[in-house]
Amino acid sequence: MTLPRAPLQQILTKYPPKESSLIMVLQDVQDAYRHLPLELLVEVAKALEVPKAKVIAVATFYKAFSLEPKGEVEIRVCRGTACHVRGGLLIMDEFKRLLGIEEGETTSDGKYTLEAVNCVGTCAMAPVVVVNDTYYGSMTVNKLNRILRATKSSKTADAAREETE
Ligand code: FES
């Protein structure tokens, strides 16, 4: 399957064609394509005049980047200490059970990706789950079920936020 090039072309016009733009370009490509496809990394290297090996090294170094496609809904369960002691593990286990996937995996329909992350900096709200860019604190199994129900038919986490508030 050939990927559409329009989003990439648009991203490349936003930044000066030089090495210092690399991280910003990769962030935008990740957002637009939900991962960093190898074929696009080659084009990024050419456009920014950066060696291909360097682009791939950066793309594989940062945890925020992924060479594999992510789900439409990215669920990040905090596994920092505060969240752990307040039931973060139970939340992770429930997501795994309901989605039928393990940490780091994406459902076969491409809808959900489940990840464990280090402290996301909102320990007072523990246990915390981040769904796309939306933070959910004091997570419970009930809340988790509502998030999954709301995101099933929605492409964004906004609907889930409205439903769980
Ligand atoms: S430990 Fe989860 S937000 Fe800090």
Side-chain angles (χ1 to χ4, degrees), residues 78 80-83 119-123 128:
C78 179
T81 307
C83 288
C119 177
V120 293
T122 53
C123 306
V128 178

Side-chain angles (χ1 to χ4, degrees), residues 76-134:
R76 298 183 189 95
V77 180
C78 179
R79 71 159 152 220
T81 307
C83 288
H84 181 78
V85 299
R86 292 199 194 160
L89 202 57
L90 178 73
I91 298 297
M92 174 58 94
D93 285 346
E94 190 63 6
F95 271 123
K96 284 188 200 172
R97 190 181 72 77
L98 292 170
L99 296 173
I101 55 175
E102 294 297 317
E103 285 177 31
E105 292 183 349
T106 298
T107 53
S108 56
D109 62 359
K111 183 76 184 178
Y112 296 98
T113 295
L114 180 62
E115 289 172 336
V117 291
N118 294 327
C119 177
V120 293
T122 53
C123 306
M125 297 163 51
V128 178
V129 170
V130 185
V131 180
N132 291 343
D133 292 323
T134 305

Side-chain angles (χ1 to χ4, degrees), residues 35-108:
H35 72 302
L36 298 176
L38 209 51
E39 62 188 270
L40 299 191
L41 293 182
V42 172
E43 291 182 33
V44 168
K46 205 183 289 179
L48 301 184
E49 296 180 11
V50 177
K52 208 167 36 177
K54 174 143 198 182
V55 173
I56 291 170
V58 171
T60 51
F61 178 79
Y62 292 101
K63 214 177 166 203
F65 296 140
S66 172
L67 300 185
E68 298 298 321
K70 299 268 187 164
E72 280 171 27
V73 180
E74 285 187 60
I75 299 170
R76 298 183 189 95
V77 180
C78 179
R79 71 159 152 220
T81 307
C83 288
H84 181 78
V85 299
R86 292 199 194 160
L89 202 57
L90 178 73
I91 298 297
M92 174 58 94
D93 285 346
E94 190 63 6
F95 271 123
K96 284 188 200 172
R97 190 181 72 77
L98 292 170
L99 296 173
I101 55 175
E102 294 297 317
E103 285 177 31
E105 292 183 349
T106 298
T107 53
S108 56

Side-chain angles (χ1 to χ4, degrees), residues 135-150:
Y135 285 63
Y136 295 91
S138 308
M139 184 56 58
T140 62
V141 169
N142 272 347
K143 236 182 192 182
L144 172 165
N145 275 297
R146 289 201 298 270
I147 289 173
L148 288 184
R149 263 201 313 276

